[in-house]
Amino acid sequence: MPTKVLEFHGFQPLTGESKAFALKKWCPFVDVKCKKAQSGGVCALQAPGAAPVIICPNRLYGNQFEVILRVAQQVFGHDCDMITDVEAESRRREGTLNGREVVVYGQGYSGEVGIKAPSAEGESGSFKVDFLLASVGPNLEPLSIVAIEVQTIDTTNSYKKASSSYYAEQKHQSKWGEGGTNAGFNWENVTKRILPQIIYKGHALRREKLARHGLFFVLPDPVLQKILTRIGSSLLEYPKGPGTITFHSYQLSEKHPAGERPIELVTEFTTTVEQIAYAFVSPQNLPPLGIYEHTITDKLAALSRKKSL
């Protein structure tokens, strides 16, 4: 299914704002060089008759990482103060800690941290969490922590031709219309990568005595809907606590003034790691019984009807 480039360097393609950021290959949401400049600078795609899909995590970080602040405020209070580890140490040395500090490890703050993981003898292994937040005491000892994973969705095929046109400040006429591409969404990654990752990290986090609110998972709403469709199970809702996973799904706002398009929180839902793991290994939303046999039979029957091979 074809898709249309909805946002290019943060804005509708060929608008003044989009051209200005595209010229510098810059991301307006995190104020750094666009991480997708090599593949095309596209923030969101839309298939005909479907909702827009955000394809770059940086698109979720607008308004000074508001999606991360929302989690921090839920866990640590609305007056929490998100800062880097260096800023926290500076305040400690100066005696200016206010008791509301939350040290943030992740993009835009102190950088991601690697978590040591089991590995084969003679090797070293680790995994990373996109954001790790910790409230700290007067000696910067962690008092409570929360982990946040952020995922969008990878694409298939390519939107590079459309991007090349927009970098040249020209319209991109295609057989699918203006801005049309043959790029699609790699929904198979929901099964191959996204679900196993949150199950593993959720289990690892539940062993932490300071992780009293579980794991938070920030993602575009269409990706969450694909997850729920793929596991085909009604997940029970739980209060936030050790061993829980809280989904925060977002979508581009339908109504917006000219300029940067806001994102809106669509779904907030908390369940447990076990609920997701069981639904993943025991899916109810399966193809019809005998579908493999019928598919092969149909293929061979079609081949037998051909006059020449």
Side-chain angles (χ1 to χ4, degrees), residues 9-281:
H9 282 275
F11 299 88
Q12 182 179 337
L14 300 180
T15 59
E17 298 97 332
S18 178
K19 289 179 182 179
F21 283 103
L23 183 64
K24 298 182 293 182
K25 295 194 172 180
W26 207 252
C27 174
F29 305 110
V30 294
D31 196 27
V32 297
K33 189 175 180 64
C34 173
K35 67 187 298 181
K36 288 185 174 286
Q38 294 298 319
S39 58
V42 173
C43 314
L45 294 169
Q46 185 172 23
V53 180
I54 295 170
I55 62 171
C56 178
N58 283 349
R59 179 61 181 92
L60 294 167
Y61 297 152
N63 198 18
Q64 299 181 321
F65 292 86
E66 185 176 16
V67 299
I68 306 303
L69 177 62
R70 176 174 281 113
V71 175
Q73 289 178 335
Q74 286 187 7
V75 174
F76 304 114
H78 283 272
D79 62 345
C80 68
D81 187 7
M82 296 201 311
I83 59 174
T84 66
D85 54 359
V86 173
E87 175 64 19
E89 175 58 19
S90 296
R91 292 187 187 185
R92 187 194 68 79
R93 295 183 184 188
E94 296 165 0
T96 57
L97 289 168
N98 56 38
R100 297 182 286 105
E101 285 85 4
V102 173
V103 177
V104 181
Y105 290 96
Q107 184 177 339
Y109 287 87
S110 308
E112 291 183 354
V113 293
I115 306 298
K116 189 174 181 179
S119 58
E121 186 175 351
E123 299 179 358
S124 61
S126 67
F127 64 88
K128 289 186 176 181
V129 179
D130 291 318
F131 290 88
L132 194 58
L133 283 57
S135 63
V136 293
N139 295 310
L140 299 190
E141 68 276 17
L143 302 177
S144 179
I145 64 175
V146 66
I148 307 171
E149 274 296 303
V150 181
Q151 289 279 359
T152 51
I153 193 71
D154 293 332
T155 55
T156 59
N157 297 324
S158 175
Y159 45 77
K160 196 169 183 64
K161 288 182 179 179
S163 295
S164 297
S165 296
Y166 294 146
Y167 277 126
E169 299 188 358
Q170 299 174 353
K171 291 185 176 182
H172 179 69
Q173 296 294 339
S174 72
K175 63 181 179 181
W176 303 290
E178 169 59 32
T181 80
N182 69 348
F185 306 111
N186 190 2
W187 296 123
E188 286 305 307
N189 263 357
V190 168
T191 301
K192 294 178 180 178
R193 183 167 62 87
I194 295 178
L195 280 168
Q197 184 178 100
I198 62 174
I199 291 169
Y200 181 84
K201 291 182 178 180
H203 274 300
L205 193 67
R206 77 174 307 166
R207 302 182 69 196
E208 297 295 316
K209 64 181 181 180
L210 298 183
R212 305 182 187 97
H213 295 81
L215 174 69
F216 283 74
F217 191 26
V218 175
L219 69 171
D221 192 64
V223 180
L224 174 59
Q225 299 311 316
K226 283 292 182 180
I227 289 175
L228 297 177
T229 298
R230 184 58 57 92
I231 59 181
S233 178
S234 298
L235 300 174
L236 295 177
E237 191 165 5
Y238 284 74
K240 297 177 184 67
T244 62
I245 295 178
T246 299
F247 294 95
H248 281 189
S249 75
Y250 289 86
Q251 184 55 284
L252 296 172
S253 175
E254 292 186 6
K255 297 181 180 179
H256 62 95
E260 183 179 317
R261 190 170 178 174
I263 61 171
E264 298 176 340
L265 180 66
V266 178
T267 301
E268 179 178 346
F269 178 80
T270 302
T271 188
T272 65
V273 178
E274 286 82 5
Q275 285 276 310
I276 296 174
Y278 182 76
F280 180 53
V281 299

